[in-house]
Amino acid sequence: MGEIMRLLRSLVLLAAAGLSVAGCSQPRPKPILGCNYQVVPLTVGPRWRQAPLRLDAVAGAASVQDGTSARLGALLSERRRIRQPLLGAEAAKGEPASDQFLALSGGGQHGAFGAGFFYGMAKLPSWDIVTGVSTGSLQSTLLFLANQPVPADRTDYSWVDGPMSGQDGATGLVVKPGTSNVGDLVLAYSIAEEADLMRKRAGGAAMGVVLKGSTASFGPLRARLLKVMTPGTLRAVGREWRDQKRQLFVGVSNLDDGEGYGIDMTELAARALDTDSPAELARLQGCYVDAMLASSSVPPGVPPITLQTAKATQMYMDGGARFGMFLEPVMAAIKGAGGEGRGHIMLMVNTTMDVGSWSGTGQPMQRWSAVTAALRAVDLMETQVYRFSAASVEQLGIAKGGLDMAFLSNADIPGGERPDDHVFNGKTCAAWQAIDAKAKPLQFYPWYMACTADYGRSRGAAQQWNHSVAR
């Protein structure tokens, strides 16, 4: 289903092969010093005990959560005040006069679907609060800036390649670099080969895990992100926080304490407004990109990342280990702002939430082993995490009066096209996936990703949501 499932599978297979991954321990990765990330705790527990909407803190964390609620609520209240003079003009344009929230899920390469979906939409809101997990964290910044011009210093597009760049003979979805932030997001999912995003360890996956602690590294992805998340991009994010009181969070899982956290990317980005030092700007870029990568890094596929928060220096990995998607900062802000007001949530689930049949044919499985049963258990666990997370976000949308939810399926879309049946550049997505599989990639299938993005574009252009609740 997503990157966590695939990489947990590798652990199962390694164990089945009798390899010991504990014999070669790895040193704790060194953090970029001085990042001092501001974080919001993401809790698992009862949230909807009574109306009106309230956020209940977990035991022992009430004071922390209450402080968070007050801080985020003050920002949301100020955001509402800033928006107020615009409400008449917005209403004339058909814009809803309500809080606007966006939640972006994990899903690995299927993030191409979400990127294509938003690219296909004619108009996007300037959401008040945006959250992202894993591939959703990689999407979050450019969607946060969807209605802003491309920063003037984002000029190095040497990383652009793959089908959606038009360099590989593709005739479907082709995007010109630098025309919009959402267009650049689509191009971020356009790759000629998996090596554009991750570098496999020498000696193969098994030896990479044993000797280096991971099958691959995200070195190429980090280099790509640094070219996109320029100082001008950080400053644009920071201005939206400082001047417009909009907020952006990415979700991470803390390996040391086992809890989930949302990193405040807008507060971090705003620091770029206070310096012209090239060295300091480069350091802030590194802090920003490392937070995005921490939200996307799943051992043993890629190693965890050490981050220095305002309270401690600890190791972090993919936020999807705790949440498929999240809106805890939204709930805290609503509570801190008094809980009043209508709201609308867009929820992009960058994958399918259907686990499928075990046999893959719809027929009962006739033979099984410890390995196949363990792999099936991983499928079921990750699907359930996503379903619970989606249900939480959906419930908030229903409570606040508006929800648009999309996921990688034609479920509940009358006459809707199945993702595998979508045709891109003369072949279906299923056919492209089979072709890409011949190169034996670990996670990323170039032409399949392009086809999935084009499928998303067609869905977005037609406003084909899987689930909507009227405002």
Side-chain angles (χ1 to χ4, degrees), residues 117-372:
F117 193 104
F118 288 115
Y119 184 75
M121 293 179 65
K123 183 175 176 60
L124 295 174
S126 292
W127 295 283
D128 302 311
I129 301 178
V130 175
T131 69
V133 173
S134 195
T135 199
S137 74
L138 303 180
Q139 298 170 333
S140 61
T141 295
L142 297 184
L143 289 173
F144 187 79
L145 297 176
N147 295 315
Q148 306 301 318
V150 173
D153 66 346
R154 194 188 301 157
T155 57
D156 184 355
Y157 286 95
S158 59
W159 53 272
V160 174
D161 61 3
M164 290 181 282
S165 71
Q167 296 179 17
D168 292 321
T171 57
L173 175 60
V174 174
V175 180
K176 183 180 179 181
T179 56
S180 71
N181 282 301
V182 182
D184 284 354
L185 173 62
V186 170
L187 288 174
Y189 286 91
S190 181
I191 60 173
E193 57 183 347
E194 186 176 59
D196 286 346
L197 300 180
M198 65 191 312
R199 184 179 299 113
K200 295 180 183 179
R201 300 290 190 192
M207 291 307 297
V209 170
V210 172
L211 299 177
K212 295 293 185 179
S214 64
T215 62
S217 76
F218 268 153
L221 175 58
R222 190 176 197 278
R224 177 175 288 216
L225 287 173
L226 286 171
K227 290 182 171 65
V228 178
M229 303 300 154
T230 60
T233 303
L234 267 63
R235 284 171 168 163
V237 172
R239 281 192 294 270
E240 290 299 300
W241 180 72
R242 187 169 291 184
D243 300 339
Q244 300 298 319
K245 309 306 177 185
R246 297 174 63 211
Q247 302 174 65
L248 167 62
F249 299 86
V250 300
V252 293
S253 298
N254 187 321
L255 282 167
D256 287 301
D257 69 14
E259 298 297 333
Y261 296 90
I263 297 177
D264 188 339
M265 302 296 279
T266 33
E267 184 278 333
L268 172 62
R271 299 179 209 170
L273 298 171
D274 299 327
T275 181
D276 290 318
S277 165
E280 178 62 7
L281 288 171
R283 191 185 65 80
L284 288 171
Q285 272 185 283
C287 292
Y288 198 92
V289 168
D290 271 6
M292 298 170 75
L293 291 176
S295 181
S296 308
S297 298
V298 187
V302 291
I305 293 179
T306 301
L307 303 178
Q308 182 191 61
T309 72
K311 294 185 176 181
T313 299
Q314 295 174 310
M315 283 199 299
Y316 292 82
M317 64 170 284
D318 194 318
R322 298 284 288 168
F323 298 85
M325 58 224 77
F326 70 96
L327 277 183
E328 268 76 2
V330 170
M331 291 188 286
I334 290 172
K335 177 188 176 184
E340 76 284 356
R342 295 170 61 239
H344 182 263
I345 292 173
M346 281 190 183
L347 170 57
M348 174 54 64
V349 182
N350 287 293
T351 186
T352 176
M353 291 190 292
D354 182 7
V355 71
S357 69
W358 189 4
S359 66
T361 65
Q363 300 299 314
M365 182 70 82
Q366 299 302 316
R367 299 184 65 84
W368 66 280
S369 68
V371 171
T372 59

Side-chain angles (χ1 to χ4, degrees), residues 7-25:
L7 296 168
L8 284 175
R9 282 181 170 185
S10 67
L11 273 182
V12 173
L13 294 173
L14 285 168
L19 293 171
S20 171
V21 297
C24 297
S25 61

